[in-house]
């Protein structure tokens, strides 16, 4: 059996919960064992799996750890450094989420490269000491954000980001977001200080989707922002009408 150990500050315990939960289906298929513990200062995730699945399962593990870096760490970084006025708290979160999603795939690719070759991962340590160029990039992006932002600017900015994302569609059913293979998307859980509002919209933004298909109704607030941002790219399935 192969063993991988992942540790994180206990203040970021939810990051390891995300990693564990997102790996459970695969772990069950290959008879892997995942054990998560939260201690006073550190959280610890230990994953044991058969040697024959080593290569493919390590790819999955690094992919989830890269999610943590490219979304949770980036969210905290931007929340600390980007200060602006003109938007409500909810809209401010949407702006931060859209900034994260703008190049989340690129950030993940960089993180995956830096995560290779480890048997034991100290996530905060690896981020602080091996990903300084990523932090410099984020610092530069943060410096471009004006001190005030209007609702129209937010709409225009997200419209601009979505315009280039062609062909990728996500599906919303029962207040949850799924990809084209109907895998449940849960990246939103990596957004710290989340108020619980507009989780569907934020999940859609983080998915990098260019189109949205509603399989069932969403809340009025979610519906409002989905239509503002995605406009004609929001589609209603037959199931939306109960057919």
């Amino acid at each position: 059996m192969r063993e991988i150990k992942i540790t994180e500050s206990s203040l970021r315990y939810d990051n390891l919960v995300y990693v564990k939960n997102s790996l459970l289906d695969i772990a069950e298929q290959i008879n892997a064992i995942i054990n998560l513990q939260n201690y006073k200062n550190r959280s610890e995730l230990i994953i044991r799996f058969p040697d024959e699945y080593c290569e493919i399962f390590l790819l999955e593990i690094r992919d989830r750890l890269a999610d943590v870096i490219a979304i949770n760490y980036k969210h905290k970084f931007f929340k600390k450094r980007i200060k602006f006025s003109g938007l409500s708290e909810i809209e401010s979160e949407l702006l931060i989420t859209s900034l994260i999603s703008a190049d989340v795939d690129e950030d993940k690719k960089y993180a995956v490269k830096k995560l290779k070759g480890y048997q034991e991962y100290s996530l905060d340590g690896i981020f602080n000491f091996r990903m300084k160029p990523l932090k410099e990039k984020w610092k530069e992006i943060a410096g471009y954000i004006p001190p005030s932002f209007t609702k129209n600017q937010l709409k225009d900015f997200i419209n601009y980001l979505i315009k280039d994302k062609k062909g990728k569609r996500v599906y919303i059913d029962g207040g949850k977001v799924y990809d084209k293979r109907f895998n449940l998307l849960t990246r939103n859980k990596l957004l710290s200080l989340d108020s619980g509002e507009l989780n569907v919209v934020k999940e859609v933004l983080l998915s990098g989707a260019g189109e949205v298909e509603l399989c069932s109704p969403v809340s009025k607030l979610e519906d409002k922002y989905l239509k503002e941002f995605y406009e004609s790219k929001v589609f209603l399935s037959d199931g939306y009408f109960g057919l």
Side-chain angles (χ1 to χ4, degrees), residues 17 61 91 116 135 149 157 160 175 181 185 187 234:
V17 172
I61 292 170
E91 290 162 343
K116 288 181 179 178
K135 289 189 283 185
F149 224 87
F157 177 64
Y160 171 77
R181 296 183 179 87
L185 303 179
R187 282 177 164 182
V234 177

Side-chain angles (χ1 to χ4, degrees), residues 25 37 56 63 70 110 145 166 176 219 222 228 237 239-240:
D25 286 345
Q37 297 289 336
I56 189 169
D63 180 79
Y110 177 85
I145 306 302
K166 298 177 180 179
K176 296 180 179 180
S219 72
E222 300 271 15
E228 275 190 14
S237 71
Y240 183 90

Side-chain angles (χ1 to χ4, degrees), residues 1 20-34 47-50 52-53 56-57 60 64 181 183:
M1 293 286 282
K20 176 186 176 182
N21 289 343
S22 62
L23 290 172
L24 283 178
D25 286 345
I26 303 170
E28 184 178 354
Q29 295 174 35
I30 66 172
N31 294 317
I33 300 169
I34 304 180
I47 307 173
R48 298 183 180 90
F49 52 95
E52 59 263 35
Y53 298 108
I56 189 169
F57 199 45
E60 297 290 344
R64 302 317 189 277
R181 296 183 179 87
N183 295 310

